[in-house]
Amino acid sequence: MSAGTRAGGRRTGRRPGDTGTREDILTAAREAFAERGYDGATVRGVAHQAGVDPALVYHYFGSKQQLFVAAMELPYEWRQVLPLVLDGPREQIGERLVRTLLTYWEDPRVSPLFRGIVRSAATDPVAAGMVRRMMAEGPFALLAQHVGTPDADLRAMLMASHVMGIALLRYVLEVEPLASASVDQVSRMVGPVVQRYLATPVGG
C-alpha cells in the first residue's frame, strides 16, 4: 500500500502534482452546500466526496466558512446580464429579465452555487451577506437604476422578492408544477408582473 492511501483505497493527505485537487474539493463543496446548506454540509463530508483527507481541505481553504466563500463564487459579473435584458422592446424588459435569470440559474456551473447560497442564507451570516449583496449590486438594482423610474431601490427589491421567491420554489424546494415548467412558460407569465414593478408610475 502506498503512503498516499489507506485501506479501502481512499487517498489521504496532499496528492503531489495533482493540480486538480483544489477544484475537486470545490466541486464537492458546491454539491454539498447545494444539497444540505451551510449547516448541513461538513468538511469531512466534502473531503470524502473529493477523495481527500479533511486536513487537505483546511490546507487549501483554512476553514469551512472560507471554503463556502470560495465555492460560491459566481462565474460571471452581474453587469454582464444587463445588456441582455435591455436588448429589445422596453415593454418586454420584465420578461427578458426573468428569462435571462432563469437561464443562468439552470446553467450547471451556476445552479449548485445559487442553491447553496439560498439554502444557507437563513443560518449562515456569510451566505446572508452574499444574498444582500446580490440584491444591492445585482441585476434588479442595476436595471431599476438604468430605467430611472422613481423609487428605484424599492422597485428593485420588489422585483427581487418576486423572482427570488419563484427561484426558491423552483430550484431549491422543487415545488411542482413550477419546478418542471419551461423557462419560456415561466418567463411569459411572470414577466408582466416584473414589468409592472419596474415601470408602472407611482400611484398607477
Side-chain angles (χ1 to χ4, degrees):
M1 183 183 300
S2 70
T5 61
R6 289 178 179 167
R10 192 164 75 85
R11 293 181 293 268
T12 64
R14 187 180 305 189
R15 292 184 283 182
D18 186 354
T19 58
T21 301
R22 188 177 188 276
E23 188 55 43
D24 289 344
I25 294 171
L26 287 174
T27 298
R30 291 179 188 116
E31 293 174 358
F33 290 126
E35 295 303 318
R36 294 182 283 280
Y38 185 85
D39 282 355
T42 65
V43 170
R44 184 175 295 277
V46 169
H48 178 79
Q49 181 67 25
V52 302
D53 193 276
L56 191 57
V57 179
Y58 289 112
H59 168 78
Y60 278 118
F61 300 100
S63 68
K64 177 182 172 180
Q65 195 168 76
Q66 287 173 300
L67 173 64
F68 179 81
V69 172
M72 296 297 107
E73 183 176 353
L74 291 172
Y76 60 86
E77 294 290 335
W78 284 120
R79 291 189 181 276
Q80 296 173 334
V81 175
L82 194 58
L84 301 175
V85 175
L86 294 174
D87 184 19
R90 185 183 177 95
E91 65 273 13
Q92 295 174 3
I93 286 177
E95 182 175 336
R96 288 196 300 275
L97 175 65
V98 176
R99 179 176 286 105
T100 299
L101 291 177
L102 294 183
T103 300
Y104 268 118
W105 289 332
E106 298 202 352
D107 184 327
R109 300 173 302 162
V110 176
S111 179
L113 310 186
F114 175 75
R115 288 186 290 121
I117 292 171
V118 173
R119 282 189 188 278
S120 304
T123 59
D124 178 63
V126 172
M130 288 179 173
V131 173
R132 285 193 294 270
R133 188 162 59 251
M134 189 187 304
M135 297 302 99
E137 303 172 3
F140 304 105
L142 290 172
L143 182 59
Q145 291 164 8
H146 179 87
V147 172
T149 48
D151 301 317
D153 291 342
L154 176 58
R155 290 170 184 269
M157 291 306 99
L158 290 170
M159 287 190 289
S161 66
H162 197 96
V163 177
M164 293 296 287
I166 288 170
L168 173 66
L169 294 176
R170 180 177 172 89
Y171 298 117
V172 179
L173 302 179
E174 298 182 353
V175 176
E176 294 292 357
L178 179 59
S180 58
S182 70
V183 168
D184 281 344
Q185 184 180 10
V186 176
S187 300
R188 287 196 303 269
M189 296 183 74
V190 177
V193 180
V194 174
Q195 184 75 23
R196 182 178 183 279
Y197 286 139
L198 179 68
T200 299
V202 175

